[in-house]
Amino acid sequence: MSQSAAVTPAASRLPALNWEDASRSVIQLRYGDLDAMGHVNNARYAEFLEVGRMALSREVGGGADDRSVLARLEIDYVRDIRQGQEVAVDTLIERVGRTSWTSVALIRADGVPCAFARSVQVRVDEQGAPRALPEDFAARVAHRSVR
């Protein structure tokens, strides 16, 4: 198989977005993140994505009274992450709805894309029922949105 044929499937799962506008979170790898094969366990990727979403939320003014739940999470794994690599999560807002928003994220290790994710979060009230986003939410996240 040619080298370009090996790269194409992975590259096709990584959309060319304005990642330079993303909120970036650097991840400190821990020994416990590794599995018996010496790479980061796939379940840890979801935790890294959570760090990215929380950092973006703080950046755009999400407070302690701002409740949301993760309604959906999709992860496309492209390559493994190994101990000693510098890991970062870039997060953008893809869509803002009435009660929810969709974010996309790219996990990189040493600058190389390792996973692409899409998540949907829903704002909820104290009983867990969907609640309208603040009127200024779209404006607050505009600088971190997909263009």
Side-chain angles (χ1 to χ4, degrees):
M1 174 164 43
S2 73
Q3 188 174 17
S4 63
V7 173
T8 304
S12 69
R13 294 187 300 189
L14 301 173
L17 300 175
N18 52 312
W19 294 112
E20 67 279 1
D21 296 330
S23 172
R24 173 162 284 195
S25 299
V26 175
I27 304 295
Q28 175 66 50
L29 287 182
R30 302 163 299 172
Y31 180 77
D33 294 333
L34 305 175
D35 63 17
M37 294 179 60
H39 57 73
V40 172
N41 182 282
N42 63 345
R44 297 291 196 228
Y45 286 57
E47 293 176 17
F48 299 165
L49 296 164
E50 180 179 43
V51 169
R53 287 191 311 273
M54 293 303 299
L56 177 58
S57 177
R58 282 190 305 275
E59 181 185 324
V60 299
D65 64 336
D66 201 20
R67 296 174 184 253
S68 69
V69 295
L70 184 64
R72 182 176 180 84
L73 177 61
E74 305 169 16
I75 304 173
D76 288 335
Y77 298 95
V78 178
R79 78 176 12 189
D80 63 349
I81 299 172
R82 298 213 164 254
Q83 184 176 11
Q85 291 187 294
E86 184 177 307
V87 179
V89 179
D90 295 332
T91 308
L92 289 166
I93 301 293
E94 183 178 50
R95 181 191 155 284
V96 175
R98 191 181 71 75
T99 62
S100 66
W101 65 96
T102 303
S103 62
V104 290
L106 188 61
I107 300 176
R108 301 176 200 251
D110 293 339
V112 176
C114 296
F116 172 77
R118 178 173 282 116
S119 62
V120 177
Q121 286 189 239
V122 178
R123 187 170 193 225
V124 296
D125 63 19
E126 294 78 17
Q127 288 75 41
R131 179 175 155 197
L133 293 170
E135 288 184 24
D136 68 340
F137 185 82
R140 289 192 340 231
V141 300
H143 69 291
R144 297 292 189 210
S145 293
V146 170
R147 290 193 255 293

